[in-house]
Amino acid sequence: MYDQIRNDTLFGMLYAVVSALFLAACCYLLFRQGNAFARDVTPPVRLRRWTAAYFAATAVCHLWYMQIFFLTSAEDIMMTDLIGGLLDSVLAVPLVICVMLNMLQDRRRPLWPIPLMIAPFVVGEVYSIATLSYAVIPMLHVYLLLLSICIAIYMFRATRQYGRWLRDNYADLEHKEVWQSLVVLALMLLLFVFYTFLGNVTFLYAYQLFDIVFLGYLLWRVETLSDLSVPVNDVEEEADVTVDVEDKDLPLSIHNHIGVLLQQHCIDKQLYLQHDLNIIQLAKAIGTNRLYLSQYFSSQGTTYNNYINDLRINHFIHLCREAADAQRSYTIQQLALESGYRSYSTFRDVIKRKTGKSVRAWMKEFGEP
């Protein structure tokens, strides 16, 4: 295989371009102050740095493998290949897992299991380098396949948990959801496994093209994902709450009082029209705390996201009927923005998620044109 790609000028050029793109992307994330993809979004600094580290590691691995284009000795090519596999194991693989984990902002997940997961792979690669042999590589490929399946399962569960956390704490999910990460990670792991098992020239071309797509996706995701870290003063206020809402029922008096406060401060004052209103801000506005408010919504069989969006949808319906009664022209996009949504696409997604229908089809149900 290496003899074929060493004489393939087109592949060599593509490989060099991919290496340069990863290096440029790393420099962009480290040194550019602004946000080229979504200027109104402040992305997590931690995620930005981990992604830059992954881009740098990938560029280093690509540059290392580039030696194969110029080597002539079979032994030197084998040694370069084996050391490259070790670099992939200790740099690129763990870093891409760190990037995916840091997209989930519901809590800071420990990273120490990652070195444990890749330790057998590293040991096998070191043994192969020491003996200059591919004897244990097939076993490492099987281990990699099993590891990829385990990581995909974990990410599936973690992403679902993160989605529930978003619905419990945020009214607007735009620039916050990361379900695409699960799909992209699964695809990347699948292609990497095929790459290790197949490794033919056609697949090497496909893998370089996928690297470019994956780089673009990560740049877009890092720059458009909102930073959801809680301010220090809010954390301190939450730490003062002594009631364990998971183990105790909310007292009836507090339950009823929160209902009254929501009516007075959220519904009557139309606080729900505020963009990006989160549960901590609402709790402070009505004079309670997030844990009490979260348990209140749970006792009502709903989530914070559903509660706010129900109010916004009712407001939208009211505006539609008010405009129709006054025989005033309007657009759905305009009324969606007036109902508290940051964009029409967010409103459309909410309607689709709640009703399974398009906005037009849903509006016909309550008699709007």
Side-chain angles (χ1 to χ4, degrees):
M1 178 184 68
Y2 286 127
D3 289 337
Q4 292 176 280
I5 63 173
R6 285 171 63 239
N7 298 320
D8 191 332
T9 304
L10 180 60
F11 182 82
M13 293 174 61
L14 176 62
Y15 195 85
V17 167
V18 172
S19 304
L21 285 175
F22 273 98
L23 188 58
C26 172
C27 294
Y28 167 81
L29 290 180
L30 288 178
F31 302 115
R32 180 180 171 87
Q33 298 298 320
N35 187 333
F37 290 81
R39 298 185 184 279
D40 60 332
V41 174
T42 301
V45 175
R46 180 180 171 87
L47 175 61
R48 193 180 181 96
R49 290 172 178 170
W50 276 112
T51 307
Y54 167 70
F55 286 159
T58 304
V60 168
C61 292
H62 271 68
L63 292 174
W64 175 264
Y65 281 115
M66 203 173 288
Q67 299 178 76
I68 293 176
F69 290 104
F70 309 102
L71 296 175
T72 56
S73 167
E75 185 175 299
D76 290 341
I77 291 175
M78 178 182 289
M79 179 62 72
T80 301
D81 184 36
L82 291 172
I83 294 177
L86 179 62
L87 290 176
D88 286 334
S89 303
V90 300
L91 294 177
V93 173
L95 283 172
V96 75
I97 298 174
C98 289
V99 169
M100 293 300 176
L101 290 178
N102 276 279
M103 289 184 185
L104 308 174
Q105 301 182 68
D106 52 330
R107 61 186 175 88
R108 183 170 292 188
R109 290 170 170 78
L111 302 180
W112 60 264
I114 298 176
L116 295 181
M117 289 188 294
I118 67 168
F121 206 80
V122 172
V123 171
E125 290 285 357
V126 170
Y127 174 81
S128 297
I129 293 171
T131 59
L132 199 60
S133 168
Y134 286 118
V136 301
I137 296 300
M139 291 186 289
L140 295 183
H141 288 172
V142 173
Y143 176 76
L144 178 61
L145 176 60
L146 296 175
L147 180 62
S148 300
I149 293 173
C150 291
I151 292 173
I153 293 173
Y154 175 83
M155 285 300 300
F156 175 77
R157 298 182 61 183
T159 303
R160 290 190 63 187
Q161 180 184 24
Y162 175 72
R164 290 193 294 269
W165 176 79
L166 284 180
R167 292 189 292 274
D168 287 339
N169 291 275
Y170 292 91
D172 302 292
L173 303 185
E174 187 177 15
H175 301 312
K176 299 176 181 65
E177 293 185 294
V178 296
W179 60 266
Q180 309 100 326
S181 305
L182 178 64
V183 177
V184 173
L185 176 63
L187 180 60
M188 179 184 178
L189 292 174
L190 183 63
L191 285 175
F192 188 73
V193 169
F194 280 139
Y195 167 74
T196 56
F197 278 104
L198 300 178
N200 56 50
V201 176
T202 301
F203 195 82
L204 287 178
Y205 269 100
Y207 196 77
Q208 299 310 307
L209 296 176
F210 174 76
D211 270 347
I212 296 176
V213 174
F214 187 57
L215 181 149
Y217 164 76
L218 280 184
L219 275 180
W220 168 80
R221 181 70 282 179
V222 169
E223 295 283 69
T224 59
L225 186 64
S226 294
D227 185 0
L228 304 182
S229 57
V230 180
V232 175
N233 58 334
D234 290 333
V235 173
E236 292 175 349
E237 290 181 12
E238 292 297 318
D240 293 335
V241 179
T242 58
V243 175
D244 186 345
V245 297
E246 294 183 356
D247 298 332
K248 298 182 180 180
D249 293 331
L250 191 65
L252 182 60
S253 59
I254 297 179
H255 180 281
N256 294 336
H257 186 54
I258 288 179
V260 173
L261 291 174
L262 285 172
Q263 179 67 47
Q264 293 176 345
H265 299 283
C266 183
I267 299 176
D268 294 345
K269 295 182 179 179
Q270 297 185 331
L271 189 61
Y272 56 86
L273 298 180
Q274 178 180 319
H275 292 316
D276 282 329
L277 179 70
N278 62 48
I279 196 171
I280 294 179
Q281 293 169 333
L282 179 58
K284 292 173 69 174
I286 69 174
T288 185
N289 60 68
R290 179 186 62 83
L291 297 181
Y292 281 148
L293 191 54
S294 178
Q295 191 180 33
Y296 172 82
F297 291 132
S298 179
S299 69
Q300 298 294 106
T302 188
T303 64
Y304 170 72
N305 180 268
N306 284 336
Y307 174 78
I308 295 296
N309 279 298
D310 285 345
L311 293 175
R312 289 176 173 176
I313 290 172
N314 289 335
H315 188 84
F316 174 86
I317 294 173
H318 171 74
L319 291 180
C320 285
R321 290 174 174 167
E322 190 178 64
D325 291 343
Q327 297 183 338
R328 186 175 67 249
S329 62
Y330 66 89
T331 64
I332 298 175
Q333 291 81 356
Q334 174 192 352
L335 297 189
L337 296 179
E338 293 178 11
S339 300
Y341 292 98
R342 178 182 290 273
S343 66
Y344 173 72
S345 62
T346 301
F347 171 71
R348 180 194 59 211
D349 292 343
V350 169
I351 297 300
K352 183 68 175 179
R353 186 169 62 247
K354 293 179 73 68
T355 69
K357 301 176 181 179
S358 67
V359 174
R360 293 287 183 184
W362 167 75
M363 291 180 67
K364 288 181 180 179
E365 289 189 351
F366 59 88
E368 294 300 326

